[in-house]
Amino acid sequence: MEPSPKISPRISPHPSPLSPATTRGPSPPPAPKQEPQPDVELELPISPPSVEETLAARRAKRQAIMAKYAGLASSTASPSPGPSSAVEPPPRLPTVADAVSQPHSATETPFSPSTVRKAEKGSTGALYSYLHIEGAKIGAGKRESLSASPTPAIFSLAKDGEEEEQVKSGTHDDASEQISAADYDPNLDFREDEQKRARAVVDEPQDVEIIEEEEEEEVDDMFAVLTSERKKVKKVKKVQMATAPALITTNLDSAADSEGYYQIILGEQLDGGRYQVFSSLGKGMFANVVRARVLQGEGAEAGKEVAIKIVRCQESMHRAGLKEVQILNKLKQADPDDKKHVVRLERTFEHRGHLCLVFESLSMNLREVVKRFGKDVGLNMKAVRAYAHQLFLAMSLLRKCNIMHADIKPDNILVNEQKTVLKLCDLGSASDASENAITPYLVSRFYRAPEIILGYPYDPALDMWSIGCTLYELYTGKIMLPGHSNNHMLLLMMELKGRFNMKIIRKAQFGQTYFDELGAFLSVEQDRITKADVMKKVHITNPKRDLKARLMPPASAKLKDDEMKSLLAFIDLLDKCLVLDPAKRITPKEALSHPFIRG
């Protein structure tokens, strides 16, 4: 087939013989007005390239990008069977119909790579019109800046070989004291803290009953007048009536085990046959979670997968579940377009004495992501940046609604199948910011802010501390502060950030427990010989190893300018998230404007 003649897309200033301007009037236009046409031909060499030439150049660039992504996919492939979802395929160009009709989700822009990926190949004219309307400038070096959002729609998760070596050699020279983030089970620490909480309740005098006993004074004088008033001595005996931990009564339902957990039966139908359970997703301290399929629903609902959180059949857990439902509905109303990365609660129902919460179905949590794509070395910096941006969006919503999550950690952050979108979940410990009763065991230990341990008045800033610990963990693959007790946690915090302000210590309810009157830290350590706990006074002024010392690669490692700039910005962001004084800690709004997030 012969190629069609090339037509310049530039509009000629001279009307053509067939234009409406020349056909108006009673007689045809005079011949001399057709003479400028050869001038148009002479202008062709300096006119813009034709549509076909432009498309051919873009195809060549697209093929080069595809080859580049193919190389990345082969280097970041997952060791597990099946294709890895760490790298998405390069996008295709959309049609005008797609641009007009396709709705955009919270994480997509009208011309983001994720939108382009969904589009089908259209005609040449429609494609040129779409590109012209959108004003998209696809050129070498600008391909990654198509999305207006600082969160890229496509990014790799695994670090390359050079980044792994930098992490191993630069950040983990104290690896013997560090704990792998991939292998950590926070439920074990949670149970241990619960036992400590119970022991503390028993040890602390809650109710003191004063018993007064009257005893007659012995009289040795045999001649004493019998009618005289005898002196009575009051002996006051204090009996400490310790209040035992509140017992939680379990509803002895046949579907619950001895601890109140629902005994899952695969294939069982819930809510009158609306859902059918087909897998178990795990068990937490407050509930177990199953994956189910919608059997009865309207339209597209039928066949959809959902996650159902089945709350333990215990009175206190049931109350906590109802409170979580209230908070989730409040957040949903404040985010109707689902742009703030908080998991969506679809509905609730009761099943055999258990409160059940139905959520959108997601893939795995961030601890599993680190275990699969970055065990002991962490994730790619671009992935950490994308996840950080989405986490701060979620925090901005919580701050707007005056809610504290109070248990942010990688286990409570879920991602979609493509690992590109995350959702903050598990708000079982969440509360209104005004509900800040002092409790030293709030939040999982490794992510616990210093004000909680010290008994200092806390607010939503405690979640920013937890996010800082989480981001460090995502980038390094290691726990930042692996303290085995609250006392040890404070010591590690000071080794990272320096000494506490004496004003905070004096105002903290447990300040005298951890510091003496001069500000020396009372460190509880185990004697190497007797294995007994001994108290030592430790004076800490400056950080022993700050974030920069932990995260910067050795001098021998040569980083590119943009990589060094990104790493320094990341360190600065973490430093602001991990300020010891909660009043000076960075806010979600400030974090979203930080250079590391904006890029």
Side-chain angles (χ1 to χ4, degrees):
M1 181 183 294
E2 296 182 359
S4 59
K6 298 180 180 180
I7 300 175
S8 172
R10 197 165 71 111
I11 299 175
S12 174
H14 306 286
S16 64
L18 300 179
S19 66
T22 59
T23 55
R24 291 196 204 110
S27 59
K33 292 189 177 182
Q34 298 179 358
E35 293 178 358
Q37 288 184 352
D39 295 337
V40 177
E41 297 296 330
L42 294 176
E43 293 179 1
L44 284 176
I46 60 173
S47 65
S50 65
V51 175
E52 287 79 6
E53 292 174 345
T54 303
L55 292 176
R58 288 170 183 159
R59 288 192 198 100
K61 293 174 183 176
R62 196 158 55 247
Q63 290 174 358
I65 294 173
M66 290 175 65
K68 175 183 176 182
Y69 274 94
L72 285 174
S74 62
S75 64
T76 60
S78 171
S80 61
S84 170
S85 57
V87 180
E88 289 291 318
R92 299 197 307 269
L93 294 175
T95 63
V96 174
D98 292 323
V100 175
S101 63
Q102 284 286 345
H104 303 298
S105 67
T107 57
E108 293 176 345
T109 58
F111 196 57
S112 67
S114 58
T115 304
V116 172
R117 188 173 62 252
K118 299 175 183 176
E120 298 177 354
K121 187 175 181 182
S123 62
T124 301
L127 175 61
Y128 182 81
S129 300
Y130 178 81
L131 293 177
H132 178 71
I133 292 171
E134 291 294 329
K137 299 179 181 180
I138 305 177
K142 295 185 178 181
R143 186 76 183 185
E144 297 179 356
S145 61
L146 290 176
S147 175
S149 169
T151 299
I154 300 174
F155 53 83
S156 61
L157 291 173
K159 285 183 164 127
D160 57 28
E162 184 176 349
E163 286 178 312
E164 288 187 13
E165 290 301 321
Q166 291 171 4
V167 169
K168 290 178 181 178
S169 60
T171 65
H172 299 322
D173 53 356
D174 56 346
S176 60
E177 301 177 1
Q178 293 192 335
I179 298 177
S180 172
D183 300 329
Y184 169 62
D185 182 5
N187 286 331
L188 298 178
D189 282 338
F190 189 90
R191 291 181 182 275
E192 183 181 340
D193 286 339
E194 282 295 306
Q195 294 172 359
K196 291 179 181 178
R197 192 201 313 262
R199 287 197 298 268
V201 170
V202 173
D203 293 339
E204 292 177 0
Q206 300 292 333
D207 298 324
V208 177
E209 180 181 354
I210 300 178
I211 301 177
E212 297 184 354
E213 296 181 354
E214 293 185 354
E215 295 183 0
E216 293 184 359
E217 185 180 9
E218 294 183 354
V219 181
D220 295 331
D221 188 358
M222 59 183 298
F223 300 104
V225 181
L226 295 177
T227 58
S228 65
E229 183 177 352
R230 296 175 179 175
K231 294 183 179 180
K232 296 181 180 179
V233 178
K234 283 187 177 181
K235 294 185 72 175
V236 179
K237 183 180 180 181
K238 293 184 179 181
V239 180
Q240 178 175 308
M241 304 294 291
T243 302
L247 296 178
I248 303 173
T249 57
T250 303
N251 185 350
L252 298 178
D253 190 287
S254 60
D257 62 13
S258 59
E259 294 183 317
Y261 287 102
Y262 180 74
Q263 294 179 330
I264 298 168
I265 303 174
L266 297 183
E268 180 183 8
Q269 294 184 6
L270 308 178
D271 196 19
R274 184 184 181 99
Y275 306 102
Q276 185 175 35
V277 178
F278 66 87
S279 70
S280 175
L281 295 177
K283 179 190 295 186
M285 289 302 300
F286 301 99
N288 44 7
V289 184
V290 300
R291 196 183 296 276
R293 190 172 288 107
V294 180
L295 298 180
Q296 302 174 9
E298 299 178 359
E301 286 289 318
K304 187 180 75 169
E305 292 184 6
V306 294
I308 302 179
K309 181 177 182 178
I310 307 176
V311 180
R312 291 170 67 180
C313 187
Q314 297 177 343
E315 184 181 352
S316 64
M317 300 297 179
H318 187 85
R319 288 197 304 267
L322 292 176
K323 183 177 180 181
E324 181 179 2
V325 170
Q326 182 182 5
I327 291 175
L328 286 167
N329 285 331
K330 182 178 181 180
L331 294 172
K332 188 175 181 179
Q333 291 174 2
D335 180 28
D337 298 327
D338 192 16
K339 295 182 178 180
K340 300 299 183 180
H341 299 276
V342 176
V343 69
R344 307 291 277 186
L345 174 68
E346 297 187 357
R347 57 188 300 271
T348 63
F349 64 91
E350 292 272 349
H351 179 73
R352 303 184 71 178
H354 294 264
L355 176 64
C356 300
L357 285 64
V358 183
F359 294 95
E360 59 181 317
S361 179
L362 293 166
S363 178
M364 60 177 67
N365 63 48
L366 283 187
R367 191 171 305 283
E368 294 169 326
V369 171
V370 172
K371 187 172 185 177
R372 180 175 176 184
F373 297 100
K375 186 173 183 180
D376 297 333
V377 295
L379 303 179
N380 183 285
M381 182 64 86
K382 289 184 179 179
V384 175
R385 173 176 170 266
Y387 289 155
H389 175 228
Q390 297 177 39
L391 276 175
F392 290 130
L393 285 174
M395 285 307 307
S396 68
L397 176 64
L398 266 65
R399 180 65 67 94
K400 176 183 175 182
C401 297
N402 205 34
I403 290 174
M404 300 179 293
H405 185 284
D407 198 18
I408 293 180
K409 55 188 175 185
D411 313 79
N412 290 339
I413 304 169
L414 302 177
V415 296
N416 63 350
E417 288 291 340
Q418 293 75 29
K419 316 298 182 294
T420 56
V421 178
L422 65 76
K423 291 290 187 76
L424 185 63
C425 70
D426 198 352
L427 281 83
S429 301
S431 65
D432 189 89
S434 60
E435 302 175 15
N436 53 358
I438 299 298
T439 169
Y441 298 106
L442 187 67
V443 188
S444 296
R445 187 192 311 143
F446 295 165
Y447 312 92
R448 189 175 294 156
E451 59 265 28
I452 298 173
I453 300 176
L454 288 172
Y456 186 82
Y458 58 87
D459 57 22
L462 66 89
D463 288 329
M464 297 301 290
W465 177 279
S466 301
I467 287 182
C469 298
T470 298
L471 295 179
Y472 178 96
E473 200 168 302
L474 294 182
Y475 180 66
T476 64
K478 299 288 185 179
I479 304 291
M480 184 178 68
L481 301 170
H484 52 73
S485 66
N486 272 349
N487 185 284
H488 191 208
M489 286 292 297
L490 289 176
L491 178 63
L492 296 180
M493 289 174 185
M494 289 187 290
E495 289 179 350
L496 177 72
K497 299 290 294 181
R499 63 176 295 179
F500 282 92
N501 191 314
M502 284 301 297
K503 292 182 180 179
I504 294 179
I505 296 174
R506 293 191 187 100
K507 193 174 180 181
Q509 184 171 328
F510 309 125
Q512 295 180 351
T513 305
Y514 299 106
F515 296 89
D516 66 8
E517 62 278 1
L518 298 178
F521 180 64
L522 306 177
S523 177
V524 178
E525 303 175 10
Q526 190 179 68
D527 187 90
R528 295 182 179 181
I529 300 175
T530 64
K531 303 300 180 182
D533 288 340
V534 294
M535 185 176 293
K536 295 182 179 180
K537 291 187 178 183
V538 179
H539 296 273
I540 297 178
T541 304
N542 298 318
K544 182 179 177 182
R545 288 192 69 239
D546 61 9
L547 287 167
K548 193 169 184 179
R550 298 185 186 203
L551 294 177
M552 286 295 289
S556 58
K558 300 296 182 181
L559 291 180
K560 298 178 182 178
D561 291 342
D562 57 339
E563 293 174 342
M564 179 61 73
K565 184 177 179 181
S566 179
L567 180 56
L568 290 174
F570 177 62
I571 294 172
D572 182 72
L573 176 62
L574 289 187
D575 203 49
K576 288 178 168 61
C577 288
L578 299 170
V579 175
L580 295 178
D581 186 349
K584 299 179 181 179
R585 212 168 287 156
I586 193 171
T587 65
K589 183 178 179 180
E590 293 169 345
L592 288 170
S593 318
H594 193 274
F596 177 72
I597 300 297
R598 302 309 304 177

